Amino acid sequence: MEIFQEHRTLFVKAPAKLNLYLEVLGLRDDGYHELETIMQTVSLYDELALELTSSGIRLVTSSPDVPNDHTNLVVRAAELLSQHAHRQLGATLRLEKRIPVGAGMGGGSSDAAAALVGLNRLWDLDLNRETLHELAARLGSDVPFFLYGGTALCRGRGDRIAQISGVKPLTYVVVWPRLNVSTKEVYEKLPPDLTKDLRQTKLLLREITKAGSGVFPHFFNRLESVTVKLHASLTLLARRMTESGLAGVTMTGSGSAFFGVSGSRKEAEESLAKLSALGVGDIFVVESTY
Ligand code: C5P
């Protein structure tokens, strides 16, 4: 995670992610689903600013829609770290939100990972990545991935990370149709008789390290059909994104954001202009931060 200091304030950039591939392998005994997913961080960031105080954890958020209490994973991350250190530690955290909430872009998870990384430095805890990984997994399934970033094949609940190197850069257009989707609800509505096809992961992993158009046909998200059933308007959104010139249009996470690939920044701006005119939602042009 990108971290820098200015006077007495630490800044951590918390990137969004896209799931280029997500297959559900089955229901686990702990109630979670076993996954195989390829996640990639992209150039859309929240920013967390941290300052040392004598006691207490205070979160200030940039939007009234983002809670600043215990329901925010940033506060839970700070409390977990303080407990782990067996010390009463103080900090004020300011969260500048840019990643849409309930979009499947991992904003809350990335903010939590940024809090762990930032407070580990601010509080001089010197915890290694394995310990931070273990704490991150307690906060949420996607949190550990953000400690690594880039592109990774994630298994288990999403918390077993294998980083992928040599990934070629991609430019995406992401549309958030301003619908907040509950991840829990989407998983609960998954049909029990899943057909699993893991051949696609291998093909995608092979193509992702080559420049070219071979990668998009292998984008896939098992949760997409469930979320589309809950919000029928998403079918039209995906069609409009394809018509605007985007390739491999797919949902990220449990939704509701969809993304597609552009051949260049210029083509991405053209797709953005077409989609803006249709008023489909909030639109972002982002690059992979592989
Ligand atoms: O781990 P996290 O709190 O982000 O998960 C939110 C919800 O999504 C869980 O309560 C669970 O219902 C569902 N989930 C799941 N399997 C996963 C990840 C999440 O069933 N691998």
Side-chain angles (χ1 to χ4, degrees):
M1 273 188 145
E2 221 178 300
I3 181 161
F4 58 97
Q5 185 157 8
E6 246 174 49
H7 305 291
R8 295 173 51 172
T9 310
L10 267 188
F11 292 92
V12 190
K13 273 178 145 187
K17 57 90 175 159
L18 297 175
N19 295 81
L20 308 187
Y21 178 90
L22 193 160
E23 179 59 292
V24 180
L25 305 182
L27 186 62
R28 300 160 33 137
D29 292 342
D30 62 6
Y32 282 86
H33 290 79
E34 190 71 18
L35 301 184
E36 178 149 303
T37 181
I38 296 175
M39 296 206 260
Q40 184 171 67
T41 45
V42 294
S43 58
L44 171 69
Y45 302 92
D46 288 343
E47 197 169 73
L48 190 68
L50 310 96
E51 266 170 53
L52 202 60
T53 60
S54 52
S55 70
I57 290 151
R58 191 167 79 98
L59 174 65
V60 183
T61 60
S62 60
S63 151
D65 300 336
V66 181
N68 62 355
D69 60 8
H70 195 74
T71 57
N72 193 311
L73 272 187
V74 167
V75 174
R76 297 231 287 274
E79 287 172 354
L80 188 62
L81 211 52
S82 171
Q83 271 167 25
H84 182 87
H86 301 293
R87 276 157 58 192
Q88 283 296 319
L89 296 158
T92 294
L93 304 130
R94 288 192 173 76
L95 179 62
E96 183 70 37
K97 269 314 275 181
R98 294 190 203 103
I99 306 168
V101 177
M105 299 180 76
S109 301
S110 188
D111 298 342
L116 290 178
V117 170
L119 290 171
N120 186 38
R121 173 87 71 90
L122 192 80
W123 288 340
D124 274 330
L125 299 178
D126 212 16
L127 301 178
N128 60 23
R129 192 141 78 170
E130 286 68 42
T131 308
L132 290 176
H133 187 130
E134 195 259 307
L135 296 173
R138 285 204 240 160
L139 293 164
S141 309
D142 286 349
V143 183
F145 164 71
F146 288 102
L147 297 174
Y148 305 83
T151 308
L153 175 63
C154 307
R155 296 203 168 96
R157 282 193 294 139
D159 58 337
R160 280 182 16 228
I161 320 288
Q163 286 185 287
I164 304 166
S165 56
V167 173
K168 292 285 178 280
L170 289 168
T171 301
Y172 302 98
V173 175
V174 185
V175 180
W176 179 56
R178 301 192 187 117
L179 292 169
N180 303 97
V181 169
S182 152
T183 302
K184 196 169 184 305
E185 187 183 359
V186 171
Y187 276 107
E188 276 166 9
K189 296 227 157 76
L190 258 178
D193 53 342
L194 291 169
T195 48
K196 293 149 228 159
D197 186 357
L198 293 177
R199 277 173 312 169
Q200 262 177 287
T201 332
K202 292 192 190 73
L203 293 172
L204 180 51
L205 286 176
R206 204 174 59 198
E207 293 295 333
I208 211 166
T209 51
K210 295 183 202 163
S213 57
V215 71
F216 334 123
H218 307 298
F219 286 179
F220 171 76
N221 187 338
R222 177 64 63 189
L223 304 176
E224 190 173 312
S225 56
V226 183
T227 307
V228 166
K229 244 188 218 148
L230 294 170
H231 302 281
S233 62
L234 294 174
T235 308
L236 183 59
L237 170 66
R239 193 179 335 132
R240 285 182 158 163
M241 288 177 69
T242 304
E243 285 165 2
S244 79
L246 301 172
V249 172
T250 306
M251 190 180 82
T252 177
S254 53
S256 63
F258 276 67
F259 65 95
V261 178
S262 283
S264 65
R265 184 88 197 180
K266 186 171 167 284
E267 284 177 28
E269 298 292 347
E270 284 163 10
S271 294
L272 181 143
K274 288 181 195 159
L275 292 164
S276 294
L278 296 170
V280 290
D282 293 357
I283 311 169
F284 307 89
V285 174
V286 298
E287 321 280 342
S288 50
T289 49
Y290 46 96

